[in-house]
Amino acid sequence: MADAKLLFHVFAIVILLYFSSTFGIIFLKRHTKYHLVAFVIFTFLLIDQVLVVFSGNSLLRGLSDHLGTALWIRILIVIVLSTFVAAYFLYPYLKHFLYLRRMKNPDKMEKEFHDRIKHSPQNPEIFYRYANFLWHLRKDYNKAMEYYQQAIELDPRNANILCSYARFLMDTRKDYSQTESYFQKALELDPKNIICLRNYAYFLWYVREDYNKANAYFLTAINAAPKDANVFWGYANFWMDAQEDYDHAEEFYKRAIELDTKNGELFAAYAYFLEEARRDYDGADKFFRKAIKIDPKNARILAIYAKILILRGNLDKAKTLIKKAFEYTKENKASEIELDLWVYCYAVFNNEFPESGAAIEALLKQGVRSHGRYFKDLLEFAKDRGHHDYQKLSQYESKITGEVE
């Protein structure tokens, strides 16, 4: 019995040490009162357990005996401890949920950014986040560039900001010499920055077409983060699209899925691989269904599956998925996906969606672009069916995947 009690206290010490050190590190980085309070509580409980093991005394027992309210003290401690543990594990999900809610009201988000910049004009993180907002949500590339540059002026040694700016330059400005320069600066400051390693590998593959160097950076990223599903996913895409080595691609898709079983877009990417590379249509359908089950309101997944069904000739089901996807692009402000969907409509369903051409023109004027990974075979499909204005469709494809005007 004594051994069981000792084992329990040792286990409690290990758990409390983990939470105490975690909250302490987060507090030192973010200086938030929530994490300070959590650090103090878990440190107090940790000290109490250490005293119990080495001296048999307990601060909590002494406090409760002194106050004469042992039961209430213990109930209160359990409630407070449970609240902090629950908050620790649920905080990322709550944060993501609140972010999605705010995404639906970009005007309110912009006002919040202006207020935060006004109160903290020397905080580079706020300028960096606002630049991301302007880039991805507002599509105001000139203003985004201005705020990225201000963020870099405030913190020129922040690898995350430099890396994000490099990706911005690559995607919106096509300024590839500057892009590479900022990627290299970021990696000099933080050689194990996973996001930067992955993005630079993509740049070397997609822009420079230096496959050997791209492969080296993907491997560096995998060694730095062997549990990061996104790295394996990117590497699988590299083997599929750049090297056309489908065995290696499948290996890394499967490893990515093992690491992240709740990522609908990853399942959809593997489904697309099974369709295009393996011609395993049953397997592709199976993984598309899984992807939609995981993330039923993800317009990107629905759009990719719709395009696959178009090429199979299952136009009725494809049209149903396109209509659903349009609903979710409105909810989530997914303008790039909306552009893809309008291209599908113009290519195949122009009679049912006569507004598709005007919609494409409007999005292009807003600066919306797409990588168009799924367009080429769609254009061939439209051409074979005798598209009414194939030349214009081809022009749209060139504008969408070409440089931002």
Side-chain angles (χ1 to χ4, degrees):
M1 189 68 178
D3 289 342
K5 281 187 176 181
L6 178 62
L7 188 62
F8 169 79
H9 287 301
V10 171
F11 178 74
I13 287 172
V14 172
I15 297 298
L16 291 168
L17 179 61
Y18 169 77
F19 280 106
S20 176
S21 58
T22 299
F23 283 118
I25 291 168
I26 296 174
F27 169 71
L28 290 173
K29 287 183 176 180
R30 301 183 186 175
H31 304 286
T32 51
K33 292 179 181 178
Y34 160 76
H35 294 108
L36 175 61
V37 172
F39 169 71
V40 170
I41 290 174
F42 280 100
T43 301
F44 175 79
L45 294 173
L46 174 63
I47 293 170
D48 180 71
Q49 289 299 307
V50 172
L51 286 172
V52 168
V53 170
F54 288 100
S55 68
N57 297 318
S58 169
L59 293 173
L60 288 175
R61 193 182 304 126
L63 180 62
S64 61
D65 290 344
H66 177 71
L67 295 175
T69 54
L71 181 61
W72 288 105
I73 289 288
R74 287 167 187 164
I75 291 174
L76 181 63
I77 288 168
V78 169
I79 291 172
V80 171
L81 191 60
S82 301
T83 301
F84 274 109
V85 171
Y88 177 78
F89 286 109
L90 294 177
Y91 175 72
Y93 301 100
L94 177 62
K95 184 178 179 182
H96 182 64
F97 170 75
L98 293 174
Y99 174 74
L100 291 178
R101 295 257 318 200
R102 289 164 64 209
M103 284 276 285
K104 294 178 182 179
N105 192 342
D107 293 335
K108 185 178 179 181
M109 281 185 74
E110 186 146 27
K111 185 179 182 302
E112 289 177 7
F113 275 121
H114 284 303
D115 290 342
R116 292 176 68 187
I117 289 171
K118 183 178 178 180
H119 289 99
S120 304
Q122 300 300 315
N123 188 332
E125 193 72 19
I126 298 173
F127 284 83
Y128 160 52
R129 292 184 184 280
Y130 186 39
N132 268 322
F133 167 82
L134 292 166
W135 169 18
H136 292 293
L137 207 61
R138 290 298 198 196
K139 309 298 178 185
D140 188 341
Y141 302 132
N142 291 332
K143 200 171 179 181
M145 189 169 186
E146 174 190 335
Y147 278 89
Y148 266 123
Q149 289 171 349
Q150 289 186 59
I152 291 169
E153 285 179 15
L154 290 168
D155 190 0
R157 298 184 62 79
N158 188 314
N160 289 328
I161 296 176
L162 294 173
C163 178
S164 184
Y165 186 49
R167 184 67 196 235
F168 168 81
L169 291 172
M170 179 174 76
D171 288 352
T172 69
R173 293 298 188 237
K174 312 302 179 186
D175 186 345
Y176 298 137
S177 60
Q178 283 285 83
T179 295
E180 188 154 25
S181 174
Y182 278 100
F183 273 135
Q184 289 172 349
K185 286 177 184 177
L187 288 169
E188 283 175 13
L189 292 166
D190 187 359
K192 293 186 178 181
N193 187 306
I194 306 307
I195 295 174
C196 198
L197 286 168
R198 192 174 74 234
N199 277 294
Y200 188 42
Y202 175 80
F203 169 81
L204 292 166
W205 152 32
Y206 194 76
V207 176
R208 297 299 192 206
E209 296 185 355
D210 187 342
Y211 298 150
N212 290 333
K213 200 171 178 182
N215 184 63
Y217 273 92
F218 272 121
L219 290 174
T220 302
I222 287 172
N223 289 331
K227 300 292 185 182
D228 190 320
N230 287 323
V231 176
F232 285 96
W233 181 3
Y235 199 34
N237 289 337
F238 171 75
W239 281 109
M240 177 184 174
D241 292 341
Q243 306 286 42
E244 296 185 356
D245 184 332
Y246 299 141
D247 290 338
H248 273 100
E250 185 156 22
E251 174 191 347
F252 289 106
Y253 275 127
K254 286 180 175 178
R255 288 174 71 178
I257 288 171
E258 286 174 7
L259 292 167
D260 188 355
T261 59
K262 301 295 182 182
N263 190 325
E265 290 192 14
L266 172 56
F267 276 73
Y270 183 52
Y272 181 80
F273 165 82
L274 292 173
E275 175 85 17
E276 293 295 306
R278 297 301 196 197
R279 303 299 176 190
D280 179 359
Y281 305 126
D282 292 338
D285 283 333
K286 175 184 173 183
F287 275 90
F288 271 123
R289 286 194 296 269
K290 284 184 177 182
I292 293 170
K293 185 177 180 181
I294 292 168
D295 197 352
K297 293 187 177 183
N298 189 308
R300 188 185 303 276
I301 294 172
L302 296 173
I304 296 171
Y305 195 21
K307 182 260 184 177
I308 290 294
L309 292 171
I310 287 171
L311 296 179
R312 289 184 190 174
N314 192 344
L315 301 185
D316 290 337
K317 188 173 180 181
K319 191 167 28 174
T320 300
L321 288 177
I322 286 172
K323 288 178 179 178
K324 282 186 181 180
F326 271 129
E327 292 176 19
Y328 301 137
T329 58
K330 291 174 184 176
E331 285 184 21
N332 300 313
K333 311 292 182 184
S335 53
E336 292 176 14
I337 311 303
E338 187 179 357
L339 179 59
D340 288 351
L341 291 169
W342 283 123
V343 171
Y344 299 167
C345 291
Y346 187 77
V348 183
F349 303 112
N350 192 55
N351 291 334
E352 295 90 334
F353 297 91
E355 73 277 25
S356 56
I360 293 170
E361 296 279 2
L363 288 167
L364 288 172
K365 284 181 181 178
Q366 293 173 29
V368 179
R369 295 293 186 272
S370 169
H371 291 298
R373 181 184 178 192
Y374 309 105
F375 285 167
K376 289 183 179 179
D377 43 5
L378 184 74
L379 264 65
E380 289 299 317
F381 181 84
K383 187 177 182 180
D384 291 343
R385 295 181 81 239
H387 191 273
H388 71 285
D389 194 346
Y390 181 77
Q391 184 178 358
K392 191 166 188 177
L393 175 62
S394 183
Q395 288 172 355
Y396 282 149
E397 191 268 345
S398 297
K399 288 181 180 179
I400 289 165
T401 60
E403 294 190 6
V404 176
E405 297 173 356

